[in-house]
């Protein structure tokens, strides 16, 4: 077997290391100092690890990475989202059920108000795709596309809200833009890697193959195939926050993930495989669920304390006008003083009942 020289291996390590460092700096929101980069290149040139042409290519690559890593404007983000949505719609037709679409969008708009980016200039747009497959596409710019097959997994409005909150979180947290930037950086890395390999002062094919394999591994690492596990976990956490603030059951996300894990539907199983293992998601969700339960309990106690304080103030007022608390309750005293409160609007239906009834009315359209 042909032995790769130490010098060739050093060349590979330097070039791959530089590409990796540039991308790492990109994702940590740092910039590459021209002085630091030049010092590094000077040392590499003195040790004969790279050629002047390769040093030039590395400087050019650094400038390109910094240019391409600038933040997207919202106009660019919205335009990208439209292109992504158009690409999805070229494969899946829109489900022609205006009533269901309006219902899902009303829920989505309410959820998005509590997201990390509640006020997108163009708002959030949720489209239902006419397919039995289980797919969801969270594109930049506020576009969320969900198949009818995935919606059918929800057995309550809370579960539907959990599904939409998860996808809205991907958009609100900018995961689509990060993924796009990863692909763009990967293309740049491959481009400059190819140029550097061609410019290398060696005819060692094994060295070139080793270099190409190393760059390929690096590109695979930073390029997101769909959304990464870290992004999925982050979207789950953000979805829990949205559900809590919007007044939905946070346990609905746990129910949704459990349903994904237990389903025998092949289409839904494929969707589930694009996410982290259900056991891992459920373990993280359980921790968050406990935190939100404690927060809800604390919130209820504070509300009860405020109500009690208000009752004491009201009782004090009645005492001042001649209705001491010892002679009857505050409610009895108020009735005696002002008469029974008229029932103008009747009994208000509980929110859970309203949600259950409207969800059941919509399920026929799934």
């Amino acid at each position: 077997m042909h032995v790769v020289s130490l010098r060739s291996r050093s060349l590979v390590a330097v070039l791959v290391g530089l590409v990796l460092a540039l991308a790492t700096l990109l994702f940590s929101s740092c910039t590459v100092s021209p002085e630091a980069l030049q010092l590094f290149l000077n040392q590499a040139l003195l040790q004969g690890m790279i050629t002047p042409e390769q040093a030039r290519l590395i400087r050019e690559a650094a400038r390109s990475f910094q240019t391409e890593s600038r933040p997207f404007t919202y106009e660019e983000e919205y335009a990208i989202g439209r292109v992504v949505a158009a690409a999805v719609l070229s494969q899946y037709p829109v489900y022609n059920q205006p009533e269901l679409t309006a219902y899902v969008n009303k829920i989505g708009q309410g959820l998005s108000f509590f997201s990390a980016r509640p006020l997108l200039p163009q708002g959030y747009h949720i489209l239902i795709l006419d397919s039995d497959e289980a797919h969801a596409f969270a594109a930049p710019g506020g576009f969320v596309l969900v198949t009818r097959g995935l919606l059918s997994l929800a057995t309550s409005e809370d579960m539907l809200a959990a599904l939409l909150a998860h996808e809205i979180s991907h958009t609100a947290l900018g995961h689509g833009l990060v993924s796009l930037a990863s692909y763009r950086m990967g293309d740049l890395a491959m481009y400059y890697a190819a140029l550097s390999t061609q410019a290398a002062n060696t005819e060692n094919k094994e060295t070139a193959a080793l270099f190409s394999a190393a760059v390929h591994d690096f590109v695979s690492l930073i390029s997101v195939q769909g959304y990464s596990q870290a992004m999925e976990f982050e979207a789950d956490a953000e979805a829990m926050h949205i559900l809590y603030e919007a007044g939905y059951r946070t346990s609905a996300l746990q129910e949704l993930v459990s349903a994904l894990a237990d389903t025998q539907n092949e289409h839904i199983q494929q969707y589930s495989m694009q996410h982290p293992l259900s056991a891992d998601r459920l373990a993280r969700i359980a921790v968050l669920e406990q935190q939100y339960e404690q927060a809800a309990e604390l919130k209820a106690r504070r509300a009860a304390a405020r109500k009690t304080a208000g009752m004491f103030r009201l009782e004090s007022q009645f005492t001042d006008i001649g209705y001491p608390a010892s002679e009857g309750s505050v409610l009895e005293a108020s009735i005696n003083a002002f008469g029974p409160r008229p029932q103008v609007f009747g009994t208000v239906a509980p929110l859970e009942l309203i949600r259950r009834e409207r969800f059941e009315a919509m399920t026929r359209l799934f």
Side-chain angles (χ1 to χ4, degrees), residues 49 62 93 101 104 116 127 141 155 188 192 210 253 284 290 344 357:
M49 300 174 69
T101 300
V104 171
L127 286 176
T155 58
L188 281 174
Y192 285 105
L210 180 62
L253 184 61
R284 292 169 179 264
Q290 185 177 8
V344 179
E357 289 182 347

Side-chain angles (χ1 to χ4, degrees), residues 292-366:
Y292 283 111
E293 285 179 353
Q294 294 172 352
E297 183 179 353
L298 179 60
K299 185 176 181 181
R301 288 181 178 178
R302 287 176 175 172
R306 286 194 296 269
K307 184 177 180 179
T308 301
M311 294 291 286
F312 277 124
R313 285 194 297 271
L314 184 60
E315 186 133 0
S316 175
Q317 293 172 5
F318 276 117
T319 302
D320 293 339
I321 62 175
Y323 290 94
S326 59
E327 296 182 4
S329 67
V330 172
L331 178 59
E332 292 171 346
S334 64
I335 292 176
N336 293 333
F338 306 108
R341 185 175 182 179
Q343 298 294 321
V344 179
F345 301 104
T347 304
V348 178
L351 182 57
E352 290 185 6
L353 177 61
I354 296 173
R355 287 173 173 172
R356 181 169 67 249
E357 289 182 347
R358 68 186 180 189
F359 177 81
E360 290 175 352
M362 290 292 110
T363 52
R364 59 184 175 82
L365 302 177
F366 281 8

